[in-house]
Amino acid sequence: MKKTVSVLTVLCLIGVLALSGCAGQEKETAGSTKEIVVAVNSETGGLDPAGMIALTYLAYSVSALDELLTFDENGDIEYRAAESYEVNADSTVWTFHLRKDAVWSDGTPVTSADFVNTIKRALKPESGSGYANYLFPVKNAEAVYNNEADAASLGVDTPDDHTLTFTLEKPCVYFLDLLRLPVYTPSCCAYADDASSGWDKDPKTSVANGPFYLAKYVPEQYFVLKKNTKYWNAGAVKLDKITYRFFADQQSMANAYETGEVDVATGLPSSVMELYEGKEDLQVTDTIATRYIYPNLNVRPLDDVRVRKAINLAIDREELCKIVGADTSPTVNFVAKYMKDRQTGEYFVDGAEKPFKEDVKEARRLLKEAGYEDGRGFPELTYNYPALEMDSDTAQVIQEQLKKNLNIDIKLNAQELQVNYTERRAGNFELCRMNWTADFADPYTYLSMLLSNSTYNCSGIQDEAYDRLVGQSDTVTDPAARAALMHEAEQLAVGGQFYIIPLYAMKSCNLIRPDINGIAQIPATGALEYRYADIGTADN
């Protein structure tokens, strides 16, 4: 199971490494067009911010869409679609003033109605948005989503084309963080209608308000973004073109980099770290993400907390990570291991005791107490996971450990990434691999997923005590008191009820041509952003 690299790959590498440093420069000097090719995982989901969001959208949006505002690496506000905002005394009314010079890539103005267009469509359950619950702080948004109120009652107003006002149900201390989420970004009223109509992947209708726009989309192969010369900050955009190519697995992405087919490849196998050690191409970054398993609470015996706890305690995460790769690190937390606490500057999870400790002896006792001594009578459970190398290795280790430590059988079911995603969202699983990369720099991005009303709650969790703790943390302005509530909520969900099976945190192993500069790392997620990248020396 330990990742290895074929002899052919190594031989190819010897030749390619000598050429890789000049590949990007050749593109630049061969003509006036500056372009890069980025390798991404298999096609998943659409490009509609109000629809079903997955990896493809996340790759597209960071270069093609401007949110109202975001935060830079220093925690300072970076205005994008908005140029200013104000908030009332009790933090329940937020007013944003849009840039008057901002237009879509087709030249039509970006208006406040375009933001409302996304919001109202996302609040229609048939749109399939997993992010709809992040609109629930807005007055009547949850009632609209549940068809208990008319959309006209929604707490979003557009006094004019360049003013957008949100009225909240109650103060929300992380509201500005939410604005970088898909459901708060605009979609052009002229084209963006139903999430399933196909407008989002058609270059004629998929207009953008960011630095790049969609020029071509070839399903299951690639999509092309071109520079948006009408962008309000176009002078800062150096690249003319970004092509995103889809690959089925990590090794294919690494091979494509080695042969010069792509200029950037992220999230590669840890074996690449050894091959490129000491070379400029290699960049290893912290990913604000947690890999874990969802047990379906609607499936017996996973509805028994003793069984869920036994499985958690029986897994040896240190051994797991040694086998899976050097880019993983064991965790028993849900909140990402590398997420920083803004107030202390330390990792958030280090601010409290770990939710639980592994203990095979206690796991066996719990399973016996639940009626399955030495695994007798325990039904075979199926574990669904994407057919990716890291997940395949993980699945085999989990299967072996649970057989060895609890004498229970786990059937492995590798799926295409899109199938795995769809089946999980539909609740069609017993055990299912899950990975969550933070959407914004606050533990709420994790804790919210286990709320009873969360659109990402795929496993049937209904816990009033947990909901209450997380809800209380929404309005507490004292950082220490709020952190205490969030730690308590995580302890309850992960160390009390064992609603998830956390496995490991990850570092991202990335390969980038040395002559490409200006690629930024998004502080909230750890992902790479190419909007202001360039080719050539950094001082050009």
Side-chain angles (χ1 to χ4, degrees):
M1 281 178 282
K2 185 66 177 176
K3 298 188 186 73
T4 59
V5 179
S6 67
V7 173
L8 176 61
T9 297
V10 175
L11 290 174
C12 289
L13 177 61
I14 294 172
V16 172
L17 287 178
L19 301 174
S20 63
C22 61
Q25 187 65 31
E26 287 176 351
K27 289 184 179 180
E28 182 181 11
T29 56
S32 59
T33 299
K34 290 186 178 183
E35 61 179 290
I36 62 173
V37 181
V38 180
V40 293
N41 276 315
S42 303
E43 181 180 12
T44 52
L47 305 183
D48 183 356
M52 188 174 289
I53 301 303
L55 298 177
T56 303
Y57 173 87
L58 298 177
Y60 161 83
S61 62
V62 293
S63 297
L65 296 179
D66 262 8
E67 57 271 75
L68 288 164
L69 57 81
T70 188
F71 291 92
D72 64 19
E73 64 275 9
N74 299 316
D76 297 325
I77 288 177
E78 178 185 331
Y79 288 101
R80 289 190 170 173
E83 58 184 6
S84 65
Y85 82 93
E86 63 249 5
V87 60
N88 69 346
D90 67 355
S91 298
T92 57
V93 180
W94 300 73
T95 301
F96 297 86
H97 302 283
L98 307 185
R99 296 182 184 276
K100 292 183 174 60
D101 58 343
V103 297
W104 292 100
S105 51
D106 67 352
T108 58
V110 177
T111 70
S112 51
D114 295 321
F115 287 84
V116 177
N117 181 41
T118 300
I119 292 168
K120 288 187 174 180
R121 291 189 304 108
L123 288 173
K124 296 178 180 179
E126 59 268 24
S127 291
S129 173
Y131 287 89
N133 62 289
Y134 292 110
L135 290 167
F136 291 175
V138 177
K139 185 178 180 181
N140 288 331
E142 185 172 7
V144 170
Y145 181 81
N146 292 322
N147 202 28
E148 297 169 354
D150 189 87
S153 68
L154 188 65
V156 184
D157 296 307
T158 55
D160 57 56
D161 284 349
H162 297 97
T163 306
L164 183 65
T165 301
F166 295 92
T167 301
L168 307 187
E169 294 276 4
K170 59 184 180 181
C172 178
V173 297
Y174 50 85
F175 185 67
L176 289 181
D177 286 300
L178 296 180
L179 300 180
R180 70 177 311 275
L181 298 180
V183 290
Y184 286 93
T185 56
S187 53
C188 186
C189 292
Y191 309 110
D193 45 24
D194 186 86
S196 61
S197 69
W199 69 268
D200 55 319
K201 293 182 180 179
D202 183 348
K204 296 178 181 178
T205 53
S206 188
V207 293
N209 75 323
F212 295 85
Y213 68 92
L214 183 69
K216 190 174 184 178
Y217 197 104
V218 181
E220 300 182 11
Q221 294 186 46
Y222 64 90
F223 64 92
V224 178
L225 302 183
K226 288 188 177 179
K227 179 178 177 177
N228 178 10
T229 57
K230 299 178 177 66
Y231 183 53
W232 64 269
N233 197 26
V237 180
K238 306 302 182 184
L239 294 179
D240 297 294
K241 181 178 171 183
I242 305 174
T243 298
Y244 289 88
R245 287 193 55 199
F246 298 122
F247 290 88
D249 57 72
Q250 296 169 304
Q251 192 58 58
S252 295
M253 294 165 68
N255 293 343
Y257 183 87
E258 292 168 5
T259 58
E261 295 175 63
V262 302
D263 303 299
V264 179
T266 63
L268 299 176
S270 59
S271 55
V272 171
M273 296 167 65
E274 299 174 12
L275 285 171
Y276 279 81
E277 185 177 2
K279 299 190 179 297
E280 290 183 75
D281 307 62
L282 179 65
Q283 293 190 24
V284 180
T285 56
D286 289 343
T287 301
I288 317 302
T290 303
R291 192 77 117 235
Y292 59 101
I293 298 173
Y294 257 141
N296 193 332
L297 273 60
N298 297 309
V299 173
R300 290 185 178 181
L302 297 174
D303 57 343
D304 189 330
V305 65
R306 295 169 297 185
V307 171
R308 300 195 299 272
K309 184 175 182 179
I311 292 174
N312 260 295
L313 269 57
I315 295 174
D316 184 337
R317 291 162 178 81
E318 287 282 354
E319 179 187 56
L320 171 64
C321 289
K322 286 178 182 177
I323 295 172
V324 173
D327 53 345
T328 63
S329 177
T331 187
V332 292
N333 286 90
F334 184 29
V335 176
K337 186 172 185 174
Y338 300 126
M339 174 174 278
K340 294 286 186 69
D341 185 316
R342 281 179 175 168
Q343 303 303 314
T344 66
E346 305 296 325
Y347 292 129
F348 178 81
V349 297
D350 291 342
E353 292 294 320
K354 299 301 180 187
F356 64 90
K357 293 181 180 179
E358 297 161 5
D359 186 335
V360 174
K361 184 177 179 180
E362 175 64 6
R364 290 171 179 165
R365 187 196 69 78
L366 286 164
L367 204 64
K368 177 181 178 180
E369 185 180 300
Y372 305 102
E373 184 175 4
D374 195 30
R376 288 192 293 273
F378 196 92
E380 181 182 65
L381 294 174
T382 297
Y383 175 44
N384 293 349
Y385 61 94
L388 302 174
E389 184 178 5
M390 174 180 283
D391 292 303
S392 296
D393 288 350
T394 299
Q396 292 176 57
V397 176
I398 297 296
Q399 181 188 53
E400 291 173 4
Q401 288 188 353
L402 293 181
K403 181 63 176 179
K404 173 185 175 182
N405 295 335
L406 296 179
N407 197 31
I408 62 177
D409 294 314
I410 303 297
K411 179 181 178 181
L412 304 185
N413 182 32
Q415 302 171 310
E416 291 184 0
L417 193 60
Q418 181 65 58
V419 173
N420 180 261
Y421 177 82
T422 302
E423 290 288 283
R424 173 175 52 78
R425 289 297 308 279
N428 296 330
F429 66 91
E430 295 174 343
L431 294 168
C432 184
R433 171 273 205 190
M434 180 62 177
N435 182 79
W436 192 252
T437 300
D439 285 306
F440 50 94
D442 190 279
Y444 184 83
T445 188
Y446 287 91
L447 301 180
S448 62
M449 295 179 66
L450 307 184
L451 292 170
S452 300
N453 66 352
S454 172
T455 46
Y456 262 104
N457 178 352
C458 306
S459 55
I461 302 167
Q462 297 289 320
D463 191 325
E464 292 182 5
Y466 178 80
D467 294 348
R468 187 165 51 252
L469 282 170
V470 177
Q472 289 172 356
S473 74
D474 289 354
T475 58
V476 174
T477 56
D478 176 72
R482 182 168 181 261
L485 285 168
M486 292 191 290
H487 283 305
E488 186 177 353
E490 183 176 31
Q491 293 284 343
L492 172 61
V494 183
Q497 293 299 321
F498 295 86
Y499 290 134
I500 68 163
I501 303 168
L503 299 175
Y504 48 77
M506 290 163 290
K507 291 184 179 292
S508 182
C509 176
N510 313 307
L511 293 177
I512 302 171
R513 301 289 174 210
D515 58 349
I516 299 176
N517 64 80
I519 295 179
Q521 189 175 8
I522 302 172
T525 66
L528 300 183
E529 183 178 62
Y530 312 103
R531 58 172 52 204
Y532 297 126
D534 196 3
I535 299 174
T537 55
D539 56 355
N540 277 357

